[in-house]
């Protein structure tokens, strides 16, 4: 037997272990346990590569890393759900502490106070940013978080209907979804509700302004019955700031019995915007579901991300996921622990509010460290910087005459432009721009092929913006 | 100590006790509360609603468990003990008194014959949970 | 006198950061852009309608106001209050708290890799797509299944994905089947996932003698009365039984044409390998039903047997368990789902497709699109050329292709993300799942290689059996399965501790002061006061001996300390009732 560095059992010790439990060798051990099921023989492991020493392994991945310099180390103007925000060194330094990244879920609170208190701070800070009452200890990502919000809304709806014995309790219910919600989020929501008697109806977008069409929303609400929720994204998939004030009034005044009004579910892929624009809680949103990856996390080719989930306090018992709470210990000190665990799968099994167990805790802790570093002032300034840089780029690109405005409404840090040169579609433009060392944006999903979705974050500089403009002139003119 | 002469118990550990005509108090037994541990939350039944025997009328939560409360017989809930919303510990402290869950009206008082009296219930608990 | 790792030391106090604020301070460096003066002067209302702006009075932003050193010290102090795998033995049953190799962390933090935008053009990220493709082939080899999806972000998401696949499979076959059979010893996620996937979970009792009262209960769910669920205390009155396995005759009672699948954890949560699994699978297959396996306990046999050899059709794995990626204090994880050939068409999107493409420019190594591509060469070729275009590390036969001379034909592999699949259940996550977790797990398999892969489960099983047998003299009455060898974990009930006046909870809190993380407690629920110990293969004999000594010592002299422990930690026992009665969550 060879020594392998992660396994601290010497040949001698292994021999003694076998002797102690009264078994001859591996074959006998497994045969005794698994019976007739065939053991894998050495030849059948041929598909496995040779073991690699650590240096070779490092070189192998480090070479891959080097080969990606043209896409992992360039200005990123792509968004569409993930935004390239800067991660301060202090975040990496703290999160590389094994005390944070190697423990399990803090089910033994006395030996997990570090994680729990940091999680409590995460909940407090994000709740304040969102203007919402309760934030949970994270979901997987924005899309899954939104799907869970829909399930939660349907539970509350059924409960309210049940309480209202005068109404028939139709099992089939509807959600109305703005077409300006991220299409990937919508796809995930569809996967979740497909077998659950929840149906989707879409509201149009205003083709000029690019936001949710309030008239169409009013109509859809009037036409449909048994609506549990309306879902809108802020800022929406096209980067446009939705008029949540108007939307909220429409949604929350559908019924004379307020308890039967649809929930306003606001989702967001860019909660950095709430350092500048009013948060969902300000507009009386019932549930918030979004992507918090931009707070101190890397894009990681799409995962792990950070699902944010928040709700009004009155719905806390219907929320999915873990919630950290504050209490006292037997020495009368403040102490933190998971609360309302009876909602969860390990206690309530199939009647749980969600099946989620492992969440994205470490990503939430990264966000806690990041937001602490940002502090109040820094968060506002970076939020504004995003808005400013996007608007500067927007203006400069339009000034080239090579792009046309797609939507007129106000946007935050992302916007859609049409490429005027009809021989070059957005995919081709993006590929050509990559050769210039810029990730220029993404093709707008489910839209015309000459439209491009462009975002800016605090990581791009004025020089990057000027280079973007120059390069696009070179490619499109 | 509460005199439980006029109490009727279900196998699922709810009790009923007559206070006038067809009107009864409903709660959970002392044994049930002690097994549950500290009650932290209760979802009360709905006043005015009719429940069939065996139908779930509410839920009791301790820190790490959820338990359903069932209607021991066909009944209509007349009033609920809303004090329990703020002070669910009453169920632990006084399960046969201030910790009662609701006042109910029985549809068929003869259904009570299907339940256990205090002595039988104590025997039932002894034989099943020791 | 035995020396245990638990000792006393200075514990820092630390207040919430918000209470350490000084107005105006912040700890982040804001990029200084070379704004022109006019650009610099502009504020938000110069760009957007003021009605949209955040109003500090109506929506106060309650973030701390601290400098970088204050924030760093704060979180560093907090971290010192945690026990973790790197500081202590962490024998949490069913959680596989093995060592998290440090090189994998280094790899996952390589700058260009972690900064990749998920919507980057496929031609530019061939090595990344190749990693996912090859990891897929490796998992197929280890399980005997035919294709994996990586989009589920954790075990429960994997279960949901697998159940959706089952749902779709029967839908396409035009069969209505709504029931998922689940042994009552399963993880709570199994019934919860079944429920949200639109199925009715039905529990199979594995401890038959405890359910004599009402046979109708068999078809009902867990919470069938006030006292049916555990309070995390000791109220359940199940008597343990010699039988920790699925009983075939019992199972037969549940089988009918409504049964879509059985969801089975193997080895089960008693740490026992389901000896009847082939028979179980046959019964299910004869009924037209499928076999789903929860692979949470895959560490028990990785590299030594394959799930395809005992009839599993669908499986999820937990990369954060068996594949050594860190648990992160609760996540992130990754829950890949593998299926047999006939279920491939139902897998979620996106998935990675590979095709052979002609190499247009050999020197620049570009294909028709002008994008870089990866050349695949000889078996086990670890060489990497200077431009980082690595050869495949995996035997080509796993690509399911005939012999093909790549050198001569000037072909290369091109990987792409596909979004269409005829009967796909759809999209499960925003992008492609937790890539950074997959990357670590891939690096782990490369480190192990063919030579070490089977050693992992061998030592894990040996270690668990060592603990089980070593505890026998003092805890024989607590071992529900004294005759069986366990797999990677062993379970005790609380009878021995109880006779000493110590509850399982007391034991868990007591062992903390000895410097160990407690084992999993009160799970599985049908073992009274369960204590579930999983040492994993990365613990030494000395550590295990030390732990065993601590358990024996607690048995001897625990009672008088029991309810007050732990004493050496930052906080003592916490008032859970208060926290749940009046929740304070921010």
């Amino acid at each position: 037997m060879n020594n392998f560095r992660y396994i601290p059992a010497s040949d001698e010790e292994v021999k003694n272990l076998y002797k102690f439990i009264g078994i001859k060798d591996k074959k006998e051990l497994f045969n005794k346990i698994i019976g007739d099921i065939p053991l894998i023989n050495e030849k059948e492991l041929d598909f496995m590569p040779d073991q690699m020493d650590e240096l070779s392994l490092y070189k192998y991945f480090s070479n891959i890393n080097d080969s990606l310099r043209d896409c992992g180390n360039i200005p990123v103007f792509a968004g569409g759900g993930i935004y390239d925000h800067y991660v301060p060194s202090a975040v990496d330094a703290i999160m590389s502490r094994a005390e944070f990244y190697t423990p399990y879920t803090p089910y033994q609170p006395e030996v997990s106070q570090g994680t729990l208190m940091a999680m409590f701070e995460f909940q407090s800070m994000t709740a304040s940013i969102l203007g919402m009452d309760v934030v949970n200890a994270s979901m997987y990502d924005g899309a899954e978080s939104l799907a869970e919000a829909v399930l939660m809304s349907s539970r509350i709806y059924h409960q309210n209907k049940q309480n209202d014995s005068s109404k028939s309790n139709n099992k089939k219910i509807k959600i109305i979804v703005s077409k300006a919600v991220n299409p990937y989020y919508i796809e995930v929501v569809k996967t979740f509700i497909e077998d659950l008697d929840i149906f989707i109806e879409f509201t149009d977008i205003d083709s000029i302004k690019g936001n949710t069409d309030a008239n169409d929303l009013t109509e859809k609400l009037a036409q449909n019955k048994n609506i549990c929720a309306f879902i809108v994204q802020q800022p929406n998939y096209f980067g446009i700031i939705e008029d949540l004030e108007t939307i909220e009034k429409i949604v929350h005044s559908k019924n004379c019995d307020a308890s039967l009004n649809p929930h306003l579910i606001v989702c967001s892929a860019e909660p950095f915007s709430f350092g500048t624009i009013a948060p969902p809680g300000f507009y009386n949103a019932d549930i918030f579901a979004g992507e918090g990856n931009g707070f101190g996390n890397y894009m990681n080719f799409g995962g792990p991300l950070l699902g944010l989930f928040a709700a009004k306090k009155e719905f806390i018992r219907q929320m999915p996921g873990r919630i950290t709470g504050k209490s006292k210990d037997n020495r009368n000190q403040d102490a933190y622990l998971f609360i309302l665990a009876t909602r969860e799968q390990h206690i309530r099994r199939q009647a749980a509010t969600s099946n989620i167990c492992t969440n994205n805790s470490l990503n939430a802790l990264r966000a806690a460290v990041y937001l602490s570093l940002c502090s109040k002032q820094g968060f506002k300034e970076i939020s504004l910087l995003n808005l400013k840089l996007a608007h500067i780029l927007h203006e400069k690109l339009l000034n080239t005459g090579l792009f046309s405005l797609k939507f007129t409404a106000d946007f935050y840090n992302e916007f859609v432009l049409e490429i005027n040169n009809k021989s070059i579609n957005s995919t081709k433009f993006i590929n050509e721009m990559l050769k210039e060392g810029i990730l220029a944006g993404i093709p707008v999903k489910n839209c015309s092929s000459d439209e491009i979705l462009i975002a800016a974050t605090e990581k791009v500089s004025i020089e990057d913006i000027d280079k973007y403009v120059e390069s696009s002139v070179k490619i499109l003119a | 100590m509460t005199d439980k002469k006029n109490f009727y118990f279900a196998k699922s550990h709810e009790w009923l006790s007559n206070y006038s005509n067809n009107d009864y108090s409903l709660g959970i037994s002392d044994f049930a509360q002690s097994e549950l541990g500290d009650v932290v939350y209760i979802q009360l039944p709905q006043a005015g609603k009719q429940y069939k025997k065996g139908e779930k009328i509410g839920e009791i939560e301790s820190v790490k468990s959820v338990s359903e409360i069932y209607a021991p017989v066909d009944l209509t809930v007349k009033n609920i003990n809303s004090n329990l919303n703020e002070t669910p510990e009453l169920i632990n402290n006084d399960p046969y008194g201030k910790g009662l869950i609701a006042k109910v009206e029985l549809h068929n008082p003869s259904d009570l014959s299907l339940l256990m009296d205090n002595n039988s219930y104590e025997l039932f608990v002894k034989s099943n949970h020791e | 006198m035995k020396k245990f790792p638990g000792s006393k030391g200075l514990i820092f106090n630390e207040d919430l950061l918000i209470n350490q604020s000084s107005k105006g301070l912040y700890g982040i460096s804001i990029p200084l852009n070379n704004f022109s003066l006019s650009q610099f002067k502009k504020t938000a209302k110069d760009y957007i309608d003021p009605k949209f702006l955040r109003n500090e009075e109506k929506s106060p932003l309650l973030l701390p106001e601290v400098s970088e050193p204050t924030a760093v010290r704060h979180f560093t102090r907090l971290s010192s209050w945690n026990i973790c795998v790197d500081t202590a033995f962490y024998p949490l049953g069913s959680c596989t708290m093995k060592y998290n190799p440090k090189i994998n962390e280094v790899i996952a933090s390589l700058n260009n890799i972690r900064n990749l935008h998920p919507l980057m053009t496929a031609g530019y990220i061939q090595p990344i797509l190749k990693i996912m493709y090859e990891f897929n082939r490796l998992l197929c080899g280890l399980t005997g299944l035919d294709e994996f999806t990586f989009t589920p972000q954790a075990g429960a998401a994997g279960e949901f994905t697998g159940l959706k696949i089952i749902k779709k499979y029967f839908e396409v076959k035009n069969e209505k089947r709504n029931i998922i059979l689940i042994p009552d010893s399963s993880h709570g996620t199994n019934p919860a996932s079944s429920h949200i996937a639109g199925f009715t979970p039905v529990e199979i009792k594995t401890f038959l003698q405890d359910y004599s009262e009402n046979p109708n209960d068999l078809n009902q769910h867990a919470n069938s009365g006030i006292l049916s669920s555990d309070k995390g205390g000791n109220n359940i009155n199940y008597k343990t039984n010699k039988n920790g396995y699925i009983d075939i005759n019992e199972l037969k009672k549940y089988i009918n044409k409504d049964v879509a699948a059985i969801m089975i954890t193997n080895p089960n949560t008693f740490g026992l390998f389901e000896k009847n699994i082939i028979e179980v699978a046959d019964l299910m297959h004869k009924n037209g039903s499928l076999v789903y396996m929860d692979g949470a306990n895959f560490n028990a046999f990785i590299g030594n047997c394959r799930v395809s050899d005992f009839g599993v059709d669908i499986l999820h794995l937990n990369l954060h368990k068996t594949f050594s990626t860190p648990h992160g204090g609760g996540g992130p994880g990754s829950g890949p789902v593998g299926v047999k050939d006939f279920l491939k068409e139902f897998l979620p999107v996106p998935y990675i497709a590979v095709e052979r493409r002609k190499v247009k420019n050999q020197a620049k190594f570009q294909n028709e699109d002008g994008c870089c591509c990866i050349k695949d060469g000889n078996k086990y070729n670890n060489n990497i050329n200077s431009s980082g275009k690595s050869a495949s590390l995996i035997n080509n036969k796993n690509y399911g292709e005939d012999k093909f001379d790549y050198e001569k034909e000037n072909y290369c592999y091109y990987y792409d993300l596909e979004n269409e699949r005829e009967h796909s259940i759809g999209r499960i996550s925003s992008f492609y799942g937790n890539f950074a977790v997959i990357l670590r797990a891939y690096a782990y398999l490369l480190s192990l290689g063919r030579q070490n892969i089977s050693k992992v489960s061998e030592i894990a099983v040996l270690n668990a059996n060592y603990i089980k047998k070593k505890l026998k003299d003092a805890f024989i009455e607590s071992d529900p399965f004294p005759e069986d060898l366990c797999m990677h974990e062993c379970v005790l009930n609380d009878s021995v501790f109880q006779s000493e006046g110590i509850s399982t909870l007391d034991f868990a809190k007591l062992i903390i002061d000895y410097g160990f993380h407690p084992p999993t407690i009160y799970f599985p629920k049908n073992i009274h006061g369960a204590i579930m110990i999983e040492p994993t293969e990365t613990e030494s004999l000395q550590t295990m001996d030390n732990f065993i000594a601590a358990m024996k010592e607690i048995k001897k002299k625990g009672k008088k300390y029991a309810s007050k422990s732990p004493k050496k930690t930052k906080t003592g026992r916490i008032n859970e009732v208060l926290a749940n009665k009046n929740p304070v969550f921010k």
Side-chain angles (χ1 to χ4, degrees), chain B residues 66-107:
Chain B
V66 187
S67 297
E68 303 189 331
I69 315 165
Y70 297 104
V73 294
D74 294 356
L75 53 82
T76 301
V77 174
K78 298 187 76 177
N79 292 303
I80 51 167
N81 181 6
S82 51
N83 284 339
L84 296 178
N85 286 330
E86 295 303 313
T87 46
E89 61 269 28
L90 287 174
I91 291 173
N92 296 115
N93 301 341
D94 192 4
Y96 299 117
K98 286 181 181 158
L100 72 88
I101 289 164
K103 302 235 166 171
V104 301
E105 186 183 295
L106 304 197
H107 298 172

Side-chain angles (χ1 to χ4, degrees), chain C residues 31-51:
Chain C
L32 296 168
N33 266 295
N34 291 325
F35 285 127
S36 67
L37 193 62
S38 66
Q39 284 167 340
F40 181 76
K41 275 186 178 162
K42 283 189 174 172
T43 63
K45 63 177 184 299
D46 296 315
Y47 296 105
I48 56 177
D49 188 334
K51 75 173 179 184

